[in-house]
Amino acid sequence: GCRSVDQAAEALNAKDHSDKLTILPLDLMKLDSVRSFAQQVKSTGIPIHCLINNAGIMFGPRKETEEGFECQLATNHIGHFLLSHLLFSNLESAGTAEKPARIVNVSSIAHFVGSWMDFEDLHLKKFYAPEKSYGNSKAAQVMFSQYLDSMQASKVPRVRVIALHPGVVKTDLYTHVWWVKIFDFVARALMKTAEQGGDTVVHAALAPDLASADLTGKYLENSRLTNISDFTRSLENQKKLWEASCAMLNIQEFGIVQG
């Protein structure tokens, strides 16, 4: 799923892979789009073995979605939270005890910046800084991953939830970062290519050892498990964000879709 279906189809040479590849419209900033996408995916009847939540925006002036959510938090966390909720039963059905399905949340080392998240002002209406908003959204992805994965620990998990930092990757994500535009040659030398950035994402989706790994307080960086911030490791903070996210989306029970 992506916002620009035609652009994705061209980039992926979709015409030559039409029997294996389906591209559907999806805008994580719009909840109706998320719901429509989830319904279209379900209607195919194809088992869902892995959901990779990779949409993201970074920095820029403060804006709100149609629902009144701050845009970075909406795109990077809330939209993914809703999509995971809507498809969770399908993931559970596809997963097994030996080979659980997976939800992969592409976060960032910037989640450390979210260590001062104000749960009373998640949409930063009192004070907005682009870097703070981005850090909060990335911390939210880590906490979401940790909390949902821990919820599976009381049973034989049929779904594992993994967050990761793909590295500093040169993509359109840096549209609002002035030095990347001005010093493009420096950026190319210091940053990963999109292909290199995808290595850890693929590892998170497919590595057999992660099916039974202890992910408590850990996420992936350079395809290796490493420590997350103390703030995001806190079960109390994870629970606060979980409850706030469910309240924003009117979710009564995660994974159980009403109506």
Side-chain angles (χ1 to χ4, degrees):
C2 64
R3 285 180 295 182
S4 179
V5 173
D6 291 340
Q7 186 176 345
E10 182 178 353
L12 297 171
N13 198 17
K15 290 182 179 179
D16 293 340
H17 305 285
S18 59
D19 58 329
K20 299 179 181 179
L21 178 64
T22 300
I23 304 173
L24 300 173
L26 172 61
D27 187 342
L28 272 294
M29 201 181 294
K30 299 179 179 179
L31 300 188
D32 285 344
S33 176
V34 175
R35 294 187 178 100
S36 176
F37 172 81
Q39 188 56 48
Q40 290 181 74
V41 171
K42 288 184 173 186
S43 68
T44 66
I46 299 173
I48 305 172
H49 296 282
C50 185
L51 171 63
I52 299 177
N53 291 321
N54 188 44
I57 59 174
M58 185 172 72
F59 302 167
R62 187 184 184 279
K63 296 180 181 179
E64 290 188 354
T65 67
E66 298 169 352
E67 293 81 11
F69 302 149
E70 189 277 317
C71 282
Q72 289 194 76
L73 186 70
T75 303
N76 300 349
H77 168 62
I78 298 173
H80 291 145
F81 191 97
L82 176 60
L83 183 59
S84 300
H85 159 68
L86 295 172
L87 296 180
F88 194 75
S89 61
N90 298 75
L91 287 155
E92 278 193 311
S93 297
T96 65
E98 295 75 24
K99 195 173 182 180
R102 300 185 190 186
I103 297 175
V104 177
N105 288 317
V106 181
S107 180
S108 168
I109 196 171
H111 81 272
F112 281 90
V113 179
S115 296
W116 295 271
M117 181 185 293
D118 181 358
F119 291 102
E120 300 301 318
D121 187 28
L122 287 173
H123 300 289
L124 302 181
K125 293 184 177 182
K126 298 177 182 177
F127 172 75
Y128 176 82
E131 297 80 6
K132 178 178 176 61
S133 173
Y134 184 71
N136 283 0
S137 70
K138 293 293 138 177
Q141 287 182 293
V142 172
M143 289 191 282
F144 165 40
S145 304
Q146 289 281 301
Y147 196 75
L148 181 54
D149 192 70
S150 69
M151 288 173 64
Q152 314 306 306
S154 60
K155 54 187 178 182
V156 178
R158 297 170 69 91
V159 181
R160 298 303 308 270
V161 191
I162 307 164
L164 63 89
H165 169 51
V168 182
V169 185
K170 193 174 188 306
T171 65
D172 291 343
L173 192 65
Y174 288 85
T175 299
H176 295 288
V177 181
W178 65 269
W179 71 266
V180 172
K181 291 186 287 185
I182 296 175
F183 301 105
D184 183 71
F185 67 97
V186 176
R188 290 179 184 277
L190 296 178
M191 302 167 80
K192 289 184 177 181
T193 64
E195 289 77 11
Q196 292 170 330
D199 289 346
T200 301
V201 180
V202 173
H203 183 82
L206 300 176
D209 59 303
L210 292 175
S212 57
D214 181 5
L215 300 175
T216 305
K218 304 286 185 181
Y219 80 153
L220 285 173
E221 182 176 350
N222 292 323
S223 299
R224 296 182 180 181
L225 289 173
T226 189
N227 293 327
I228 59 176
S229 69
D230 290 340
F231 182 89
T232 56
R233 184 173 182 140
S234 165
L235 183 60
E236 180 182 358
N237 290 337
Q238 293 171 17
K239 185 177 180 182
K240 284 181 180 179
L241 179 71
W242 180 271
E243 292 176 347
S245 300
C246 287
M248 282 186 275
L249 296 167
N250 196 28
I251 294 174
Q252 304 303 314
E253 184 175 354
F254 190 89
I256 306 298
V257 181
Q258 304 296 327

